[in-house]
Amino acid sequence: MSNLEDYLKERVRLHDLMAKESVDEVIQWYDDCATLYDQNFNSAGFQFHLTTVEATLEFVKDKDAAILDLGAGTGTIGDLLKKEGYSNMDALDASQGMLDIASKKNLYKNTFRSLIGTSESIENLAEGSYDAMVSAGVFAHGAVYYESIPLLLKYLKKGGYLIFSVSLLSMQKSPRLTREQFTKLTRDWEKAGVCRVVSEKPTFHINKEPAFVFTIQNCTDGK
């Protein structure tokens, strides 16, 4: 069995863990499979990271902008952004195994290990400190949900962007990730002056599985 076959087989197990919303086991999967993930990501058919980077190029023109790679994994998006000239990036992920690999690539100034939930704060992050947060594949069933968006916005500067992808499969699996739920929550947040949705673009998650990339602009002072 090839490395890629091993990886795709492991992804089936990951989906089962995510379906159970077993957070600790999901994190352990990423720790255990970090090397396999890093070696096979680019050949596994993923596309969502490419559209996320395209949106970053569209909305974040300043190559010195402070960017947080949210759910950075082993640095796939960080590597693409560095090739586009971005140099002021931090990484956050729940898996130390993934961050250990990302750290060796010299893509990020700082790396932070943390879960993303709906708590009051994210440990070690300074509020109002980022021009953009970028995330691909992290908003998913058994991972991060739209309810976390207000928390994330706290760490953006006023006018900063949260750019993230969601697969259609995740939208269909969880009522917390449907388009209707996204529209309902963001409409309420827009009315409250918290943020505004500036872009919704179709893309693919893996191979021809549909997905969307959303761009939200923070309208508060981040505190």
Side-chain angles (χ1 to χ4, degrees):
M1 184 176 290
S2 70
N3 246 9
L4 179 58
E5 288 173 319
D6 286 337
Y7 173 65
L8 294 176
K9 182 179 179 180
E10 279 293 334
R11 283 198 63 82
V12 174
R13 184 166 70 88
L14 173 63
H15 289 163
D16 290 341
L17 296 175
M18 294 179 75
K20 294 192 300 180
E21 299 193 87
S22 180
V23 175
D24 290 341
E25 289 183 287
V26 168
I27 294 171
Q28 188 63 54
W29 184 96
Y30 279 105
D31 282 341
D32 293 341
C33 297
T35 300
L36 192 64
Y37 176 101
D38 189 56
Q39 291 174 344
N40 292 280
F41 181 89
N42 288 323
S43 56
F46 289 105
Q47 299 185 46
F48 57 82
H49 59 300
L50 301 174
T51 315
T52 302
V53 170
E54 288 175 5
T56 306
L57 290 168
E58 179 179 357
F59 291 102
V60 187
K61 301 297 186 182
D62 182 4
K63 297 299 177 71
D64 293 321
I67 297 175
L68 180 65
D69 188 350
L70 201 65
T74 59
T76 301
I77 285 184
D79 183 53
L80 292 172
L81 290 177
K82 185 176 182 179
K83 288 174 181 175
E84 293 291 346
Y86 296 93
S87 59
N88 187 14
M89 297 182 288
D90 291 343
L92 183 146
D93 200 278
S95 166
Q96 189 60 52
M98 303 287 272
L99 287 175
D100 287 344
I101 292 175
S103 296
K104 295 176 182 177
K105 298 179 181 180
N106 298 314
L107 302 170
Y108 305 106
K109 289 187 173 181
N110 304 288
T111 61
F112 305 103
R113 182 184 180 278
S114 180
L115 288 169
I116 303 165
T118 55
S119 59
E120 292 291 324
S121 63
I122 298 175
E123 188 176 1
N124 296 321
L125 291 189
E127 294 184 7
S129 58
Y130 292 102
D131 297 292
M133 290 184 180
V134 297
S135 179
V138 176
F139 282 81
H141 181 52
V144 178
Y145 298 96
Y146 301 139
E147 302 101 283
S148 295
I149 289 175
L151 169 65
L152 297 174
L153 294 177
K154 290 172 60 175
Y155 299 94
L156 285 173
K157 299 174 185 177
K158 187 174 183 178
Y161 295 98
L162 171 61
I163 301 167
F164 65 96
S165 71
V166 187
S167 72
L168 181 60
L169 184 61
S170 284
M171 289 179 169
Q172 292 170 338
K173 280 191 172 184
S174 172
R176 298 165 70 185
L177 287 170
T178 63
R179 284 298 297 269
E180 291 78 12
Q181 179 70 350
F182 178 79
T183 300
K184 176 183 180 298
L185 290 174
T186 54
R187 184 185 295 123
D188 290 342
W189 295 332
E190 287 180 339
K191 287 179 180 178
V194 173
C195 63
R196 67 187 186 100
V197 179
V198 296
S199 177
E200 303 180 25
K201 291 187 176 180
T203 183
F204 295 104
H205 182 69
I206 182 170
N207 297 318
K208 293 299 181 181
E209 179 189 319
F212 296 88
V213 171
F214 298 109
T215 301
I216 296 175
Q217 187 173 37
N218 181 39
C219 297
T220 70
D221 62 4
K223 296 181 181 179

